[in-house]
Amino acid sequence: MTKIALVQDWLAGGFVGSEKVLAEMLAVLPGSPIYTLVYKPEDFVGTPLENATVHTSAIQNWPKGVSSYRNYLPFMPYQIEQFDLTAYDTIVSSSHAVSKGVLVGAGQLHVSYIHSPIRYAWDLYQQYLREANLASGVKATLAKIVLHYIRLWDHSTANRVDVFLANSEYVARRVWRTYRRPARVLYPPVDVARFDHTRPREEFYLTMSRFVPYKKIDLIVDTFTRSGKPLIVIGGGPDFEKIKATAGPNVQLLGRQSDVEVADYMSRCKAFVFAADEDFGIVPVEAQAAGAPVIAYGKGGSLETVVAGRTGVFFGQQNEESLTRAVGIFEATAHTFDAQTIRTHAERFRPERFRTEFRAVLAAAEAAKQRGEDPEKAVMALNLENL
């Protein structure tokens, strides 16, 4: 019987995007242990990860290791390499930072699901330095040295992976750019069943996200404050108070809400607004599962999850003028959007589809490995359309 281990960067930020993907992997591979840098059990009460067997790194016991684990980024490459995975035949890593860099032996199979190459070391490097006020000075120099080291390490560890999977075509292109390796796209699972698309639409717009700069919640709030159109904002994060201070009376910031509340608002909103350049973007798919049209920034994963004119409207620039124009286009055509059509489109991202494709990929990779053939070629040649 094949012994399989799962590896995740960390489990301390709540049950959100990559954690939900990990849960679906665990559903396909029940009982498999999870290796992760840090683990905050209270974040996963009531989730499929609550009773998982979890092994953590030394960072777990360092000062504020769980609450401020990002501060230990320079140590993460070393710590991820300390996991002893020699007892397993197959390693599956779920990576947006360092987990793809685990050490594996020649006889082991390593399949890595890439949510993104490390964004703050690659694509968002300059933006990260600007937003962290690290353009110059001693701290800036140290940060640049650390990120330079991270890039060298990240690139070199691509050779430890037999098969790359990507959560979108957008990310697959970045995997090629960063590692010069092909990646098979497996769209992440979205729990579309928990959303009701049959309820009447109301007159408010909705957005939901973590309040961090690249999500551009400030852009959405500022645009709607100027227009006076009703907007409800769900989510929390470092920029919450700053954005709240600029919000007009027509904008309601509700903070974090339960899954039940989120589903309720999505099922009633006039449209969902999404302004991030996202790798995939699960939340816009959830909105579509609830029958809501999406007004989205026309770059990144949104181009693969939203269909212009059928399930939403795109805007071309991350500025108020472009977003305002897109809202106007939507309002002029709102009567043409059909909730059932939007919901049907979202169904292609259901968890059952992810599980079926993930099983097929693992089976093909393991069979190729046993035959002494290239698992990457086997997976890239796999026909997933007729599963």
Side-chain angles (χ1 to χ4, degrees):
M1 182 177 179
T2 302
K3 295 184 66 177
I4 300 178
L6 297 168
V7 185
Q8 176 86 358
D9 295 306
W10 47 74
L11 291 171
F15 190 60
V16 287
S18 67
E19 291 78 9
K20 291 181 178 180
V21 173
L22 182 68
E24 292 298 331
M25 291 177 173
L26 191 62
V28 174
L29 306 168
S32 296
I34 299 170
Y35 290 79
T36 189
L37 293 171
V38 295
Y39 177 47
K40 188 178 181 182
E42 56 267 35
D43 282 357
F44 301 96
V45 174
T47 77
L49 300 178
E50 180 178 11
N51 298 313
T53 300
V54 179
H55 302 275
T56 59
S57 73
I59 297 175
Q60 180 83 13
N61 300 314
W62 291 359
K64 296 185 178 180
V66 176
S67 61
S68 302
Y69 56 89
R70 294 178 189 273
N71 292 338
Y72 292 114
L73 175 65
F75 302 95
M76 288 181 180
Y78 173 79
Q79 288 296 329
I80 206 73
E81 292 177 346
Q82 301 316 300
F83 288 130
D84 182 0
L85 304 176
T86 55
Y88 303 99
D89 304 298
T90 298
I91 313 301
V92 178
S93 59
S94 171
S95 182
H96 53 78
V98 298
S99 68
K100 85 170 203 326
V102 290
L103 296 177
V104 294
Q108 294 174 298
L109 174 69
H110 182 189
V111 176
S112 188
Y113 188 94
I114 302 294
H115 302 275
S116 171
I118 309 175
R119 296 198 78 177
Y120 36 86
W122 294 102
D123 296 66
L124 296 183
Y125 173 67
Q126 299 296 342
Q127 180 179 331
Y128 167 76
L129 293 176
R130 286 194 302 271
E131 291 171 351
N133 293 318
L134 293 172
S136 61
V138 175
K139 287 186 178 180
T141 300
L142 290 174
K144 292 173 183 178
I145 291 172
V146 168
L147 292 174
H148 175 71
Y149 157 67
I150 292 287
R151 281 193 296 274
L152 294 176
W153 177 87
D154 186 45
H155 185 270
S156 70
T157 59
N159 292 324
R160 302 176 188 178
V161 178
D162 294 292
V163 177
F164 277 105
L165 307 177
N167 68 358
S168 65
E169 296 288 352
Y170 184 51
V171 168
R173 290 192 294 271
R174 286 170 45 213
V175 168
W176 176 258
R177 167 63 65 185
T178 306
Y179 309 130
R180 281 298 188 262
R181 293 280 300 279
R184 185 64 190 257
V185 175
L186 262 66
Y187 287 120
V190 180
D191 186 10
V192 300
R194 71 184 181 92
F195 297 95
D196 182 2
H197 67 287
T198 64
R199 298 175 66 183
R201 314 315 299 185
E202 299 181 20
E203 284 303 310
F204 66 90
Y205 290 85
L206 176 69
T207 191
M208 183 178 80
S209 177
R210 288 181 294 117
F211 282 54
V212 292
Y214 88 92
K215 295 289 189 177
K216 299 296 182 181
I217 296 299
D218 56 342
L219 165 62
I220 298 173
V221 168
D222 290 346
T223 300
F224 277 81
T225 293
R226 288 181 183 277
S227 72
K229 299 180 188 299
L231 172 71
I232 290 177
V233 184
I234 296 175
D239 291 347
F240 184 86
E241 292 301 328
K242 181 174 70 174
I243 292 174
K244 182 179 179 181
T246 66
N250 59 305
V251 178
Q252 297 182 55
L253 275 69
L254 303 183
R256 293 184 175 90
Q257 298 291 308
S258 68
D259 285 350
V260 173
E261 290 293 331
V262 168
D264 175 61
Y265 282 107
M266 284 186 170
S267 296
R268 295 187 289 117
C269 70
K270 186 173 185 177
F272 185 84
V273 186
F274 188 73
D277 176 2
E278 194 63 272
D279 303 315
F280 173 76
I282 285 178
V283 176
V285 179
E286 292 179 332
Q288 290 172 88
V294 176
I295 301 172
Y297 176 45
K299 188 176 180 181
S302 295
L303 293 174
E304 299 174 53
T305 62
V306 179
V307 181
R310 190 156 67 93
T311 72
V313 173
F314 290 121
F315 57 98
Q317 302 293 327
Q318 287 176 312
N319 59 45
E320 290 186 31
E321 180 183 1
S322 187
L323 176 54
T324 299
R325 188 183 307 114
V327 172
I329 292 171
F330 166 72
E331 293 197 336
T333 59
H335 64 282
T336 66
F337 291 97
D338 175 66
Q340 181 60 62
T341 299
I342 296 172
R343 168 60 177 245
T344 299
H345 173 69
E347 291 280 352
R348 68 189 290 243
F349 303 103
R350 64 192 186 279
E352 295 81 5
R353 181 68 181 179
F354 174 85
R355 293 182 190 182
T356 298
E357 294 182 347
F358 183 59
R359 286 191 188 97
V361 163
L362 279 186
E366 289 174 343
K369 185 77 172 180
Q370 291 172 1
R371 294 192 302 265
E373 299 174 358
D374 185 353
E376 181 175 87
K377 290 183 178 178
V379 168
M380 296 304 293
L382 193 61
N383 183 1
L384 298 176
E385 299 300 321
N386 298 320
L387 295 179

